[in-house]
Amino acid sequence: MNILVINSGSSSIKYQLFKMPLQQPVCSGLVERIGIEGSFIKHTVYPNGEKYTLEKDAFISNHGEGLKQVLALLSEGEHAIIAKPEDIVAVGHRVVHGGEHFAGATLINDEVKQQIKKLFSLAPLHNPVNYKCIEVAEQTFFAAKQVAVFDTAFHQSIPQQAYRYAIPEWYYKEHGIRVYGFHGTSHKYVSEQAIKWLGKSESKIISVHLGNGCSITAIKNGKSIDTSMGFGPLSGLMMGTRSGDIDPSVIFHLMEHSGYTLEQLSTLLNKQSGLLGVGGSSDMRDIRKLVNEGNEAAKLALELYAYRIKKFIGSYAAVLNGIDAVIFTAGVGENDLDMRAAVCDELSYLGIQLDLNKNRNYKSQLTEISQTNSKVKVLVVPTNEEYEIANQCFNLLN
C-alpha cells in the first residue's frame, strides 16, 4: 500500500513515501527554510537498492508552492516514484491541533476540514499550512484517502490536574480551554523507541523535542502525563519565532500602555519572538554563526534557550518522581551537540552525566550519550514522525 506522508512544520515540509507495512521509505525529502532566504529542497529516492539525491536551491515563499514542487519530483523525470496519481492509496497529513474533537487518526472529509479551520487561531503557524497542504494533496491525488493524524492525540492521557488551568470551570466546559499539548506524534515515536532500548515498559522518560517549534513531555510507562505546550503551541520552551512562557501581565501592559491590538500581540509572540526576537534569526544554525562572530544578542539567545529546557527537566523530574532517561530529538535536538551539552551541564544532582565524547560523535541513530555510570540515560533518538503517521494511516485503513 503506497502511503505518502506530509509533515508540514512552520517553516518546512518533510515527506516520505512508504510501501506499507515496510518501515523503510522508498522516497524521502525536505523543503527547508520556507519563507526564509536560502530555502531549498532535498529529494532522495532509493531505486534498486541504490540512493539518488537531488538538491535544489530556490526561494520558496509558502507551503503550497513547496508541496507542488515536491509532487512534481515524485511523478516526473528519470527517478519518478509513481506513474500516475492513482498509485497513491492514502496521503497522511500531520495536523497540529485537533482540539477535543480528535483523539486519533481520522479520514478527512468536509466536516473534518471545517474543524481544522476552526482551530486556526489555536495553531496559527501550523493549522493553516496543514490545511493548505491537504487542499493541494486532494487536487493532486484525487483518488487517495486523505488522513489527518493530530499532534494533540498522544497527550489525551494527561491527567486533569495537569491539563486544567486555574480558572473557573465554565471556561473549560464551554470553551474547551485546557492543555492539549503538541508534537505528540514525535514524542510518542521516540519514547516508544527509548522504551524498547531501555527494555523496561515501566519507565520515566523526559522527551525534549527541539526544532523550529520546541516542546518537552513527561512520559510515564509510555503515557504522556505533562507537556510544555498548552492550549496552543505558544507556551513552554523558547522556540524559533515563538516566545514560550511569558507573564500574561506583559500582554495587558502592552495593550493598556502602548495600544497594541490582539493581532499585533499575536504576531509579536508567535512570529517575532524566540530565537528571532532575541538573537536575530529563527534558525539555530544562523544563531551559531552569529555567536562565532561575537554577537552578544545571539549568545544571550542560546543561554535563554538552554535555561528554559533545564527548568522544565527539573520540573518534570519532580512530576515523574525520578527519571530513567532524557531524550533529545528533532532538528536542533539531533544536530546541535553544543545545545545538548549546555542543557545537561550542572544536572548531576538529578543523576544526569553527559559523555562529551559520545555527544560529539553521535551519528544519526538511537545513541546513548551519557557516561557509563550515569544514573539517568541521555539518549539522542532520531524522530520519525512520518513513519508513525504512515503506520497510523495503515492501521486505520485496515
Side-chain angles (χ1 to χ4, degrees):
M1 181 185 292
N2 286 334
I3 297 180
L4 174 65
V5 173
I6 297 171
N7 181 351
S8 52
S10 56
S11 64
S12 65
I13 299 172
K14 290 190 289 185
Y15 60 92
Q16 293 188 21
L17 179 62
F18 295 89
K19 289 187 179 295
M20 294 298 290
L22 300 178
Q23 185 169 353
Q24 177 64 39
V26 295
C27 169
S28 65
L30 173 67
V31 185
E32 185 70 287
R33 297 173 68 92
I34 296 173
I36 305 172
E37 185 178 353
S39 51
F40 64 91
I41 299 175
K42 184 176 181 179
H43 178 75
T44 302
V45 296
Y46 307 92
N48 303 317
E50 300 174 356
K51 180 178 179 180
Y52 169 79
T53 299
L54 168 69
E55 294 195 37
K56 178 181 177 183
D57 293 327
F59 180 69
I60 301 166
S61 59
N62 57 61
H63 288 69
E65 179 185 340
L67 185 55
K68 287 176 182 177
Q69 293 198 39
V70 169
L71 299 179
L73 288 169
L74 290 175
S75 58
E76 299 174 4
E78 179 184 356
H79 295 284
I81 299 298
I82 58 173
K84 56 187 184 301
E86 293 89 337
D87 290 343
I88 302 297
V89 175
V91 181
H93 299 266
R94 175 207 178 203
V95 180
V96 166
H97 210 309
E100 288 195 321
H101 300 285
F102 307 106
T106 304
L107 284 172
I108 295 172
N109 54 28
D110 288 341
E111 181 181 352
V112 171
K113 288 168 67 177
Q114 287 304 311
Q115 291 293 344
I116 293 171
K117 287 183 74 174
K118 287 180 181 179
L119 296 165
F120 277 9
S121 62
L122 301 188
L125 295 184
H126 288 88
N127 268 37
V129 298
N130 300 153
Y131 186 88
K132 178 64 175 178
C133 288
I134 289 170
E135 288 197 314
V136 174
E138 285 177 330
Q139 295 166 7
T140 305
F141 299 109
F142 48 86
K145 299 289 186 183
Q146 306 289 329
V147 180
V149 176
F150 296 90
D151 268 13
T152 48
F154 180 59
H155 301 298
Q156 291 301 302
S157 55
I158 292 176
Q160 187 171 208
Q161 69 266 26
Y163 74 69
R164 284 286 301 275
Y165 291 112
I167 57 176
E169 185 180 27
W170 182 84
Y171 292 94
Y172 167 61
K173 288 188 172 181
E174 295 298 320
H175 297 284
I177 295 177
R178 52 158 286 178
V179 169
Y180 290 102
F182 302 91
H183 294 143
T185 307
S186 176
H187 289 301
K188 180 177 185 292
Y189 178 82
V190 298
S191 62
E192 288 175 350
Q193 298 304 304
I195 289 169
K196 290 178 184 177
W197 187 88
L198 290 168
K200 51 192 302 186
S201 57
E202 294 187 0
S203 56
K204 300 173 181 179
I205 293 171
I206 297 176
S207 174
V208 187
H209 178 108
L210 303 177
N212 191 268
C214 303
S215 66
I216 181 169
T217 297
I219 301 166
K220 186 174 183 178
N221 303 335
K223 303 291 185 182
S224 172
I225 64 168
D226 205 349
T227 192
S228 60
M229 286 180 169
F231 181 63
L234 176 60
S235 64
L237 302 177
M238 178 178 173
M239 308 179 215
T241 64
R242 280 171 269 177
S243 65
D245 283 349
I246 188 169
D247 183 348
S249 299
V250 174
I251 297 172
F252 304 146
H253 178 85
L254 290 174
M255 292 179 70
E256 182 177 355
H257 297 285
S258 300
Y260 273 62
T261 65
L262 290 176
E263 183 178 357
Q264 287 174 319
L265 287 167
S266 177
T267 299
L268 168 65
L269 297 179
N270 280 297
K271 299 181 179 180
Q272 298 175 343
S273 298
L275 287 173
L276 176 64
V278 178
S281 174
S282 62
D283 193 298
M284 183 64 78
R285 292 163 292 193
D286 295 341
I287 294 292
R288 290 289 180 194
K289 182 178 179 181
L290 289 169
V291 169
N292 291 334
E293 294 170 354
N295 188 299
E296 290 297 321
K299 180 181 177 182
L300 175 61
L302 292 181
E303 291 171 348
L304 285 171
Y305 192 97
Y307 181 75
R308 292 281 185 92
I309 300 167
K310 290 166 74 87
K311 282 176 66 175
F312 269 95
I313 289 175
S315 172
Y316 287 168
V319 168
L320 289 165
N321 190 27
I323 317 170
D324 291 312
V326 173
I327 299 168
F328 287 96
T329 194
V332 175
E334 294 171 33
N335 296 301
D336 195 314
L337 64 93
D338 292 323
M339 183 52 65
R340 295 194 298 263
V343 169
C344 293
D345 187 40
E346 296 186 347
L347 289 181
S348 58
Y349 78 99
L350 289 176
I352 296 173
Q353 295 178 289
L354 190 70
D355 185 309
L356 296 179
N357 188 52
K358 290 180 182 177
N359 183 45
R360 187 180 305 110
N361 294 316
Y362 163 72
K363 299 293 183 184
S364 301
Q365 59 185 2
L366 193 157
T367 304
E368 179 187 347
I369 58 170
S370 47
Q371 295 179 22
T372 304
N373 61 345
S374 180
K375 293 181 180 179
V376 175
K377 304 298 183 185
V378 182
L379 307 175
V380 184
V381 183
T383 191
N384 196 340
E385 294 172 279
E386 291 75 24
Y387 174 73
E388 180 64 32
I389 292 168
N391 194 45
Q392 291 191 36
C393 293
F394 183 71
N395 291 335
L396 176 68
L397 296 178
N398 283 338

